[in-house]
Amino acid sequence: MTMNDTFLKACRGESTDYTPIWMMRQAGRYLPEYQKVRGKVTFLELCKSPELCVEVTLQPIDIFNMDAAILFCDILIPMEAMGLTLEFHEGRGPVFPNVVRDQNALDKLIVPDPDETMGFVMETIRLLRRELKVPLIGFAGAPFTCATYLIEGGSSKVFWETKKMMFTAPELFHGLMEKITRCTISYLLAQARAGAQALQLFDSWAGILAPTDFQEYALPYVERIIGELQQTGLPIIYFANNGATLLEYSARSGADVIGLDWRINIGDAIKRVGNKAVQGNIDPFALLLPKEKLRQRIRNLLEDARDAKGHIFNLGHGIHQFTPPDQAKIAVDAVHELSQRS
Ligand code: CP3
């Protein structure tokens, strides 16, 4: 089976015939094909069923011709393996009924053996590798983002409890980050052993931190994870959402590829991250533009990214659940066509 390795080449900064594209959350609710599978099971049941995970992971590859697949799972699955109860409530998202806000709760968290507790993830990866003709991205949440969910008990807008812990109980906060970090390292190493071909760390909430706090409370753990993952030889992608003010620091994380949200011009970002590949960064809502305007925006973005060491086209964050799939198709085709170099 011949493998389309354009994505991996771009991650490594090697020249490619065209700019590869995939979309964060490409397997998800905007696809009727996903809804059909999801209609039969809960989200957590889906995450724990390797056959169904394979099916939904492959959907966007088959439908749109994406240049990379991302494992279907969730960043909060390892938090459940650490011993916490995880629920997904319709319309509210993830909920942890037992929050981690004191030493007692922290002491109860375990650093799980990923193969024993999350064997379904490794099985999904092994099955996918038999099917896929494009590279498979494994992933985890970055420790800060995971910690916010455990401390807040779910999604948040102001992150009061998280910052309260950082500033009034720093030892507790660092203790929690330490445990999540150890869990994440062994989890991602297990994904690599199972066959993942690149690894992405999602730091969805890094952008709520002042640069000085990002450096003190979040980045050291990201650096440690990436340092440990380097033994795999796989490209590592670090995506800090809302991270334009943190770019110089993110670039020092050790990642091979820096993910960019849409709030910054990609050319400006490339100048700031230096000799690194970048991934991004069209506004997910720009997929709603009429075809010609969308194509023009993509043409401009590709042009602005011309000096990148490598460029993987992506959205600046996950695709929104109400995006018409036809619009995603227009974007993928436009990137493939407009970036042709040979
Ligand atoms: O296609 C892919 O990108 C792979 C699968 C994937 C999911 N979640 C599936 C999912 C990935 C990579 C994630 C990452 C994830 N999960 C992040 C980081 C990226 C980001 O969006 O910032 C975060 C913060 C989570 C936590 C999470 N999971 C939330 C907040 C929610 C609910 C909010 C929402 O968007 O509905 C989820 C649920 C979730 N994860 C869904 C999917 C497809 C929807 C679940 C459903 O089918 O009802």
Side-chain angles (χ1 to χ4, degrees), residues 25-27 29 34 38 43 73-75 139 149 204 317:
R25 291 277 180 104
Q26 64 189 14
R29 286 167 299 185
Y34 171 85
R38 178 68 172 75
F43 176 62
C73 193
D74 197 86
I75 63 164
F139 71 91
Y149 285 96
S204 308
H317 201 181

Side-chain angles (χ1 to χ4, degrees), residues 39-284:
K40 293 181 255 171
V41 289
T42 66
F43 176 62
L44 277 177
E45 284 166 349
L46 174 51
C47 288
K48 293 174 190 176
S49 161
E51 286 76 20
L52 295 181
C53 285
V54 168
E55 185 177 344
V56 297
T57 301
L58 295 176
Q59 286 170 351
I61 316 304
D62 297 339
I63 298 169
F64 305 115
N65 207 12
M66 298 285 185
D67 295 291
I70 182 158
L71 164 71
F72 191 85
C73 193
D74 197 86
I75 63 164
L76 300 175
I77 289 287
M79 306 300 107
E80 190 183 44
M82 291 180 84
L84 289 163
T85 304
L86 168 62
E87 298 166 0
F88 280 88
H89 295 191
E90 214 58 56
R92 185 167 159 214
V95 174
F96 288 97
N98 307 309
V99 293
V100 182
R101 290 185 194 162
D102 55 32
Q103 190 64 44
N104 186 37
L106 174 58
D107 289 343
K108 280 199 205 137
L109 292 184
I110 55 165
V111 178
D113 177 319
D115 292 301
E116 272 171 28
T117 57
M118 293 175 281
F120 51 89
V121 175
M122 311 316 151
E123 180 63 10
T124 301
I125 293 174
R126 283 189 292 266
L127 294 172
L128 277 168
R129 282 299 306 278
R130 292 194 214 144
E131 305 279 333
L132 280 167
K133 296 189 183 80
V134 294
L136 176 62
I137 305 167
F139 71 91
F144 179 72
T145 289
C146 293
T148 67
Y149 285 96
L150 305 195
I151 301 168
E152 303 291 336
S155 301
S156 175
K157 285 203 172 81
V158 286
F159 299 94
W160 166 258
E161 296 292 344
T162 303
K163 291 197 180 177
K164 189 168 88 180
M165 191 191 289
M166 277 168 54
F167 296 137
T168 68
E171 280 171 21
L172 185 61
F173 180 84
H174 284 295
L176 176 58
M177 292 290 282
E178 173 73 31
K179 267 194 173 169
I180 296 173
T181 298
R182 282 164 48 209
C183 170
T184 307
I185 290 168
S186 66
Y187 178 53
L188 288 174
L189 287 175
Q191 290 189 27
R193 283 196 303 273
Q197 291 159 290
L199 297 168
Q200 173 154 332
L201 276 176
F202 284 92
D203 219 344
S204 308
W205 299 114
I208 67 159
L209 292 173
T212 181
D213 293 325
F214 178 66
Q215 284 181 83
E216 183 172 345
Y217 296 94
L219 187 61
Y221 299 95
V222 172
E223 284 175 341
R224 221 169 91 202
I225 294 168
I226 293 174
E228 294 280 345
L229 295 178
Q230 268 154 1
Q231 61 181 284
T232 64
L234 302 181
I236 318 290
I237 308 166
Y238 177 56
F239 171 66
N241 184 37
N242 226 328
T245 50
L246 308 171
L247 272 183
E248 282 78 5
Y249 311 111
S250 296
R252 281 187 235 140
S253 64
D256 305 282
V257 183
I258 301 299
L260 304 168
D261 68 70
W262 70 92
R263 300 167 186 89
I264 183 167
N265 172 277
I266 198 164
D268 294 340
I270 288 161
K271 283 188 206 120
R272 284 171 54 195
V273 302
N275 193 32
K276 287 204 175 280
V278 290
Q279 174 173 279
N281 76 338
I282 195 169
D283 182 345

